[in-house]
Amino acid sequence: MTQQSSATQPLAPPLLLPDAATGLRWGLLGVVAFSLTVPLTRVAVGGLSPLFIGSGRAVVAALLAAAALALTRQRRPRRGQWVRVCVVSAGIVVGFPVLTSYALTVTPASHGAVVIALLPAVTAVVVVVRTGERPVPAFWRYSAAGALAAVFFAVVGSGGPGALHRADLLLFAAVLAAAVGYAEGGLLARDLGAWQTVSWALVVAAPVMTVLTGFAVAAQTPTGSPAEWAAFGYLSVVSMFLGFFAWYRGLAIGPMAKVSQVQLVQPVLSIAWAALLLDEHLAATTVLGGLVVIGCAGGAVRTRIGGDQPPASDQSSSRLVRSRARRRSRRW
């Protein structure tokens, strides 16, 4: 095989490869779906307990997932994949929903949205550790700037480092849990498919979340208003299920580190929803924090992906892997 053949010809990607653009579009669609999660969680906790919201929405989504898997006769994950499904489940089905539900009982939705702006930067770090992707230095500068802006907002909004609220610690823990779930789920989606990955994660967590829902109902009978139940319905069907169809497909197409930065626009959308739906006051620090993080997202997404490419000697096998990933990502 000659060095001029199509199997060994080095890639010369433009500023944004078609695959990367497709991944970003799917990722953005998922972010739009997720942007209502924080404001509607704030609505739901007005009459429903945090534990019921965090666990009950996973139970509803698990029923939908089990039905979808059965109707389409999806193959079960292989033995080694079950452990990875459990990692995804612990991060996005258990950790993030439960922790954010408790945090948002005492903190405004706009504040929670900007603290969660840490998620893209943390996800990028986990992705690099997990996959070996190598973004260029400019990518890390933009990501770090967005993360620092989010932390600064959390500290200033809490009255200083000594006054950092317990809710902020819960939000930071939720960010870490989601980042691990996103990175592992994005990889697993290349093998199982996007919606299949989140569906199996929901099914795996269903027994635990059902027990937690039972405890929540026993401790406090759910007596929410129609608006609170409607918010719970959105969290169950969209935030916990349908939104991940697009999000994991975007991550599977990748590059995951870059697609993860699209989520920096989520706090800005969430803040806008909080002002519109909850009539929350937009403080200057909130607006400034949102503008900074969305600017950092734009910078990170515009960076070249040459640093994400494997060494020249590995490029033919890398192209084969990407081709297989594209075929698997189409299995809807």
Side-chain angles (χ1 to χ4, degrees):
M1 185 178 293
T2 68
Q3 292 188 348
Q4 298 300 319
S5 70
S6 59
T8 59
Q9 184 68 24
L11 294 176
L15 184 60
L16 194 62
L17 288 171
D19 278 355
T22 302
L24 290 172
R25 285 193 293 268
W26 280 108
L28 183 59
L29 180 60
V31 164
V32 172
F34 294 151
S35 66
L36 276 162
T37 299
V38 170
L40 292 184
T41 299
R42 182 66 173 168
V43 171
V45 296
L48 304 172
S49 73
L51 182 59
F52 176 80
I53 295 168
S55 58
R57 75 194 211 186
V59 173
V60 174
L63 292 174
L64 297 175
L69 291 170
L71 289 173
T72 57
R73 298 182 179 181
Q74 296 295 313
R75 67 177 178 85
R76 294 186 177 186
R78 297 188 300 273
R79 181 179 301 178
Q81 291 173 332
W82 280 115
V83 175
R84 300 170 64 191
V85 170
C86 290
V87 171
V88 176
S89 182
I92 67 164
V93 181
V94 182
F96 187 82
V98 173
L99 291 170
T100 53
S101 295
Y102 275 103
L104 290 169
T105 60
V106 294
T107 192
S110 55
H111 178 83
V114 179
V115 175
I116 292 173
L118 278 169
L119 184 53
V122 178
T123 302
V125 172
V126 176
V127 164
V128 168
V129 172
R130 181 67 180 85
T131 69
E133 286 185 5
R134 297 184 297 278
V136 295
F139 171 90
W140 291 114
R141 288 195 291 269
Y142 283 116
S143 298
L148 289 174
V151 172
F152 176 78
F153 167 82
V155 172
V156 171
S158 301
L164 195 65
H165 296 162
R166 182 176 66 92
D168 292 317
L169 300 179
L170 292 175
L171 289 170
F172 292 147
V175 163
L176 180 59
V180 173
Y182 286 168
E184 194 62 46
L187 282 174
L188 193 56
R190 295 174 178 176
D191 295 325
L192 295 180
W195 73 266
Q196 293 92 334
T197 296
V198 67
S199 295
W200 285 117
L202 286 163
V203 169
V204 163
V208 173
M209 303 311 276
T210 301
V211 171
L212 291 177
T213 303
F215 283 136
V217 172
Q220 177 183 332
T221 303
T223 55
S225 66
E228 290 159 355
W229 280 111
F232 177 80
Y234 185 94
L235 296 173
S236 301
V237 177
V238 180
S239 296
M240 199 77 254
F241 189 52
L242 296 180
F244 280 102
F245 288 19
W247 180 241
Y248 274 150
R249 190 175 190 193
L251 289 175
I253 295 171
M256 282 201 290
K258 178 172 286 190
V259 173
S260 70
Q261 300 310 293
V262 176
Q263 203 166 29
L264 275 172
V265 305
Q266 183 173 325
V268 180
L269 295 174
S270 295
I271 290 168
W273 286 121
L276 180 64
L277 300 177
L278 308 179
D279 198 26
E280 289 189 1
H281 173 67
L282 294 182
T285 53
T286 301
V287 176
L288 179 60
L291 292 175
V292 170
V293 295
I294 196 171
C296 293
V301 167
R302 286 195 300 270
T303 56
R304 294 184 63 85
I305 63 173
D308 298 327
Q309 300 300 318
S313 60
D314 297 333
Q315 283 179 354
S316 68
S317 61
S318 176
R319 281 197 296 274
L320 178 59
V321 170
R322 287 198 298 272
S323 177
R324 290 174 177 172
R326 285 195 296 270
R327 290 196 298 271
R328 288 166 180 156
S329 70
R330 298 191 187 101
R331 293 184 303 175
W332 281 65

